[in-house]
Each structure stands twice: as C-alpha cells, then as structure tokens.
Amino acid sequence: MPNEQPLAGDEFWARVAAEGAPLVDPDPDDPAYRRVTFVLRDEPGEQPYDAVLALVHTVTDKDRHAGDLTPHLMERRAGGWSRSYRLRADHRASYQLYPVRGAVPGTRRADWLRVLDGARPDPHCAGAQLPGRDGRHPSSVLALPEAPAQPYARRRADVPRGRTVRAEVAGRRIDVHLPAGHRPDAGPYPVLVLLDGEMWGEVLSFGDTLDNLTAEGLIPPTVALLVHTMGPGRPGDLSCNPDFVDLLADRVLPWAAAEHRVTADPARTVIAGQSAGGLTAAFAAFRRPARFGNALSQSGSFWWPDGTEFDSGSEWLTRRFAATEPGGARFWIEVGLQEWMLLTENRHLRDVLTARGYDLAYREFNGGHDYACWRGGLADGLVHLLGAGGGPQEPQGR
C-alpha cells in the first residue's frame, strides 16, 4: 500500500513516543483490515542509515523468494524511517528491523543470512519479545486486535511450577518437563512428545505454558518429553523416517514410563511438531497409531516427497493416508494463511483425513511459519487433544 503519512516529522515522532510502534490505524476501505506502520529513528549524533529493511515474518520472505525486497524497504521521513502495510485485523507475526549502512543486501542465501544475523527487535515496541537462538537477536511481535489470544504463553507468578530434568536416551538429548507435584509413585501421566525440544525448552520456555494450562485445569498434569531434533541429523529424522518414529515408540516412551511414570495409553499420548516436525508428528500417528494416538501438526511440510520405500512424487504422506485404512489416531492440524508454500498441501491433507473418517480438528491462523503463532496454537491443540472441555479457541475449518 502507499506509504503516505499525514503527520509531519515532530508530530509523527511524538505519536510514536506516546503509543509505541508499530502504529496501527483503521483501514479507510475495509474495517476487517488495519494500516500498520513500522518505524525506526536514526541514531542520535550518527550518520543517518542508508536504508532500513522491515523483516515481517513470512511476509518479507515471500518477496525475498521472488527476488525483490523493495516492498519492505522503509522510506525516509524527518529524523528516521517508516513503512506501512495493509494487514488483516487478525494478523500475528514476529518481526525485526535491519538498518543498512552501504548497499542494500541482495536476496541470495548468503546475503540473507547476514541480514538475519544483524536484524534486531523494534526499539519502539514495548511488547514482550520472542527470544532469539544461535546468537541472533530477539524479535518483536505484532498482534493485531483480532489475532487469537495467547493467554498461556507467559510465566505466572501465582502458578505452581513444574521442573525440568535433562536426559539422554538412545543417543538423543531430551528435556523432560515434569508437572508440579509429579511423583514417581503416582500416575500414569499423559505424555507429550514435542519435537525440536531445544527450541521449545531452552529458548521459548514452553514449560511455563504447560504449568499455566495445568493450573487452570485445561489439561491434566502431563509429562512433556522435549526431544532435541535441531542438529545436523534433523533432515533425516524429520522426513517420514520409520526408524526415528520407532525409536520414539520403542525406546524413548518405555524409558519415560519406567523413569517418570508416563502412560502407555495412545489416547493420552500426543506427538507434536512444526514444519518438518509437523510432518513427522502426522507420520508417527500413521505408522504407530497404537502408540501415538494424537498428532498435533503445525505448518506441516506435507509437500514432502519420497522416492525410496514407495512411489516418488509430492505429498507422499497424504497419498498414504488416502490409500490406507484409518488407524484411529486423532489430529489437530493448523497452518498459516501467509504460508504460501504449505497452505494448499495442508488443506489437501485435511480433505483426505476428513474423507477417511479421522477425528480431525483443523485451523487456519492469519500468520506465517512463525513461533509467535505456533506457541499459541500448540497450547490450544493440547487442550483440544488432552483436555475434557475443548480448547480455549475452537478450531475452525476453512
């Protein structure tokens, strides 16, 4: 949309100082949208930046893949920079700003990695940040007024705290979050197997969400196995790999049963993941439904092809579900409306699972391939799959 601003320099920056950023205004043409303006001031006493790039998660990535970052370069204004977007009122996204000195970066992978290394949170945004990983800066979070609520993401001082213990099982690092009051002579406890566990545990502190959900009675006290899968072996593990799923089913879960009294009941067992992890969660329910009775998939990479065990071609797992008798597992599947590389494939899997008679909750959120969205959806999915009264936000099929 045009980057017009009605306010002059001093008046504009006074508004930023009073309200914070980004600035959110009604869209003059459609009440379902908002006009969102990201801003950045030049550093006092220093040479003004040569350019500033707005990195709005998945939105900017789409144009980068197309080879054109121009729509996300801010425009000069007195004392700084701004760029406006027209976004639907339920949009949520993490974002960063990248001040440029010298040439504007290109869209090649090497250039983009340097951008990601140098991008930083919005200094004008007062909201909580999404932590960074691998030495990168945190991100700010944009949540427009109609974005789904995420009331369980933050640690609460009045909630009984669980504890996390670290283990290695069958050569795999696992962070085990035990609910408050966990006893080795009690149980058996429901169990969550959460892939990319080093992100969810060490970076995002998802144990806080589990403690909040438990304290409110939305899920029963549950043992969470946060399995580390973000190392060099990730592409092999999280690619419909039967050996990896069997390792989880036959070695990790029995170990957890002996060590932490988790259940052997598939109806009280959830496996969850995002992206390739979402693909793997659904595959685990396909391959071992008598062990993984619930699959929680977020932005699953269901485009994935396989040319080894079965016929080659895209959407291998979806075609396997279509050709096989239903196995009895339940599913929570969600995907972002901004995920242009995944949305069609997730809708296709939804249609196949529905036609085959699976118990399926399906939701599309207005966001991208983004932990800022996933952390709320993961909580909602767990309540739907493990809770007695449905999720804090009911899934909506599209």
Side-chain angles (χ1 to χ4, degrees):
M1 65 177 292
N3 201 31
E4 300 172 0
Q5 294 290 349
L7 299 180
D10 291 344
E11 190 180 3
F12 176 81
W13 292 114
R15 182 186 173 194
V16 172
E19 298 180 16
L23 300 175
V24 179
D25 294 294
D27 181 85
D29 301 318
D30 190 337
Y33 284 79
R34 297 292 186 272
R35 187 175 190 269
V36 181
T37 302
F38 298 92
V39 304
L40 186 65
R41 299 209 73 164
D42 289 310
E43 294 288 343
E46 295 188 13
Q47 186 73 16
Y49 300 125
D50 294 304
V52 177
L53 179 64
L55 281 68
V56 184
H57 206 300
T58 306
V59 175
T60 302
D61 296 275
K62 184 174 184 179
D63 288 317
R64 181 185 70 85
H65 278 274
D68 182 14
L69 291 173
T70 305
H72 309 285
L73 288 171
M74 291 188 174
E75 296 183 1
R76 285 190 185 274
R77 63 178 309 119
W81 304 80
S82 68
R83 166 60 66 182
S84 294
Y85 293 80
R86 181 176 183 266
L87 301 174
R88 213 170 72 178
D90 58 351
H91 198 114
R92 174 180 274 110
S94 60
Y95 73 95
Q96 295 176 308
L97 305 175
Y98 181 70
V100 178
R101 296 197 185 277
V104 174
T107 58
R108 295 178 305 175
R109 177 173 173 78
D111 295 328
W112 193 245
L113 290 176
R114 285 193 292 272
V115 170
L116 296 180
D117 289 340
R120 64 194 197 189
D122 181 353
H124 305 291
C125 180
Q129 297 178 345
L130 190 71
R133 183 174 181 267
D134 295 333
R136 287 179 174 159
H137 297 291
S139 299
S140 300
V141 177
L142 166 72
L144 291 183
E146 296 177 20
Q150 294 186 351
Y152 310 108
R154 306 295 177 203
R155 178 177 294 198
R156 300 176 182 175
D158 59 342
V159 163
R161 301 279 304 141
R163 63 188 180 94
T164 298
V165 297
R166 290 175 169 79
E168 184 171 316
V169 183
R172 305 283 172 158
R173 282 192 59 194
I174 300 174
D175 299 330
V176 183
H177 185 79
L178 302 172
H182 176 274
R183 290 170 29 209
D185 61 343
Y189 291 89
V191 59
L192 163 67
V193 178
L194 181 54
L195 305 174
D196 293 341
E198 59 268 58
M199 184 68 184
W200 285 106
E202 297 170 359
V203 180
L204 297 176
S205 301
F206 189 68
D208 295 338
T209 296
L210 293 170
D211 294 341
N212 294 337
L213 294 174
T214 304
E216 290 200 16
L218 293 170
I219 63 172
T222 298
V223 173
L225 308 178
L226 280 60
V227 183
H228 289 218
T229 52
M230 298 186 78
R234 188 175 194 271
D237 288 341
L238 305 187
S239 56
C240 295
N241 182 342
D243 294 336
F244 178 69
V245 168
D246 291 347
L247 180 144
L248 295 176
D250 299 331
R251 301 192 64 181
V252 171
L253 285 176
W255 167 84
E259 192 74 15
H260 300 296
R261 287 284 292 166
V262 309
T263 185
D265 181 0
R268 301 171 71 215
T269 302
V270 178
I271 182 167
Q274 301 73 38
S275 193
L279 169 73
T280 299
F283 176 66
F286 171 78
R287 178 172 174 81
R288 300 291 297 270
R291 193 62 196 90
F292 297 107
N294 299 277
L296 198 165
S297 172
Q298 298 178 281
S299 305
S301 300
F302 296 118
W303 54 264
W304 186 80
D306 178 81
T308 56
E309 184 179 355
F310 297 101
D311 53 307
S312 61
S314 63
E315 299 184 73
W316 174 85
L317 182 58
T318 300
R319 290 185 290 115
R320 299 273 63 76
F321 275 115
T324 308
E325 287 299 313
R330 301 170 66 222
F331 292 85
W332 169 283
I333 294 176
E334 65 174 21
V335 64
L337 290 171
Q338 307 303 319
E339 299 190 85
W340 78 101
M341 299 177 72
L342 294 173
L343 183 57
T344 297
E345 291 80 0
N346 274 263
R347 288 173 172 174
H348 189 196
L349 178 62
R350 170 202 62 190
D351 294 344
V352 167
L353 293 178
T354 300
R356 301 299 287 160
Y358 279 96
D359 185 334
L360 167 67
Y362 177 84
R363 183 167 75 177
E364 294 177 357
F365 56 88
N366 192 14
H369 210 67
D370 193 344
Y371 284 100
C373 301
W374 291 336
R375 62 184 176 182
L378 182 54
D380 292 351
L382 287 175
V383 173
H384 177 81
L385 294 171
L386 288 178
Q393 178 183 353
E394 288 300 317
Q396 298 177 356
R398 301 290 175 103

